[in-house]
Amino acid sequence: MRALARRAGGVLAWLAAGAAVAAVVAAAVLAAADIAVAGWPLPTGYDSANVIIVLAAAVTGLAASGSTAARIAAGSRALRTLLRAARQPVPPVVLKAAAGLGIADRVDAVGTGEAFAVTYRLIRPRILVSTALAAELTGAEVAAVLAHEREHVRHRDPLRILGVRLLAAFAWYVPAASWLASRAVLRRELAADRASANGTGRGVLAGALLKLASLPACPAAAAAAPAPDSPGALEARVAQLEGGRPPRPRLTPPRVLGTAGVVAVLTAAGACCAALSQLLPGGTA
């Protein structure tokens, strides 16, 4: 029940974040309409300041989200290019482990010198592994890594994390936004680790994680990963696998106060723009 409540709370939090972004965009539309009707500057300096705040939040937020989307798209193109250029038959040890997990039809392989496994695609996710993964890990470790990726496939985590990253990018001016995004990504990694460890063993997965962390990363796979590892992510994952509770990052008081301040300012500015649109010629007031 506690886990279900946490999951429901997380869903509601991100729905609220999406609604907040929609509210900022709607307020920006009203602000632009206010300028179109009344001209510039607006009747009072207070009105002008609030319109500027709302427009700046929406424009810079959309620009940041667009930049993030462009980087994600570039990473996806790099991975597709790698797949076209270096596709290989799935190594037998990987194919055997995938068949045992029921995902043999969801695994692709490329020939590279770097060992990796990554879940890619948004709607029908698949798992891409390198031939070096089979060379660097034992059969049990390969199965543990694939079980981890299977959890990402089951929950369409690339799509989930894309939404999280875009929302966090839009709200770059909110001090808690990046923290919440990193926490959401880490929660999905920890959940995938738990699902894998339940079937393959904690020690096996921990060994695979540490081996992969010590090896060179594949640039294309790193660029196309659903999200970069946040600071301390590996330590938190290993701590969980060792039987302890992973450290739970908490918002610092300055971030809490800063976030409350930004939300208060945006709420007041948005309300001002809505009220102004009713008072200007053409409004309903």
Side-chain angles (χ1 to χ4, degrees):
M1 288 297 294
R2 186 178 300 176
L4 184 61
R6 285 200 302 267
R7 184 178 302 174
V11 171
L12 289 175
W14 286 105
L15 287 176
V21 168
V24 170
V25 173
V29 172
L30 289 177
D34 293 341
I35 294 174
V37 171
W40 188 261
L42 292 173
T44 70
Y46 178 75
D47 293 332
S48 297
N50 283 314
V51 164
I52 289 172
I53 289 171
V54 168
L55 286 176
V59 171
T60 60
L62 290 172
S65 293
S67 176
T68 297
R71 289 196 301 271
I72 293 171
S76 296
R77 286 195 301 272
L79 199 64
R80 289 196 300 270
T81 299
L82 175 65
L83 187 55
R84 287 194 300 268
R87 183 187 286 271
Q88 296 286 331
V90 179
V93 64
V94 176
L95 191 59
K96 179 181 178 181
L101 294 166
I103 54 171
D105 60 337
R106 290 291 189 94
V107 179
D108 301 311
V110 291
T112 69
E114 301 91 3
F116 69 86
V118 65
T119 300
Y120 71 108
R121 290 188 181 177
L122 299 178
I123 306 303
R124 288 185 56 81
R126 297 181 63 82
I127 300 168
L128 182 65
V129 305
S130 66
T131 53
L133 185 78
E136 295 288 350
L137 303 185
T138 66
E141 289 170 341
V142 168
V145 169
L146 289 180
H148 172 99
E149 298 300 332
R150 180 181 64 175
E151 188 72 4
H152 288 319
V153 169
R154 281 178 171 175
H155 293 277
R156 292 187 171 87
D157 282 342
L159 181 60
R160 284 186 176 196
I161 295 173
L162 171 65
V164 167
R165 292 180 68 185
L166 292 179
L167 283 174
F170 183 94
W172 65 270
Y173 41 79
V174 178
S178 61
W179 180 89
L180 287 170
S182 296
R183 186 170 182 268
V185 171
L186 179 57
R187 285 171 65 90
R188 291 312 309 151
E189 291 301 321
L190 292 172
D193 284 346
R194 288 193 298 270
S196 174
N198 287 339
T200 61
R202 295 175 179 270
V204 175
L205 180 57
L209 284 178
L210 293 173
K211 279 185 183 179
L212 292 176
S214 68
L215 296 172
C218 173
D229 286 336
S230 58
L234 179 61
E235 291 78 2
R237 295 174 65 185
V238 172
Q240 175 179 257
L241 292 170
E242 288 178 343
R245 293 180 64 86
R248 302 182 69 177
R250 298 187 182 278
L251 273 173
T252 61
R255 283 192 180 224
V256 173
L257 293 174
T259 298
V262 170
V263 171
V265 169
L266 284 176
T267 300
C272 175
C273 293
L276 185 61
S277 69
Q278 300 302 306
L279 297 174
L280 292 174
T284 58

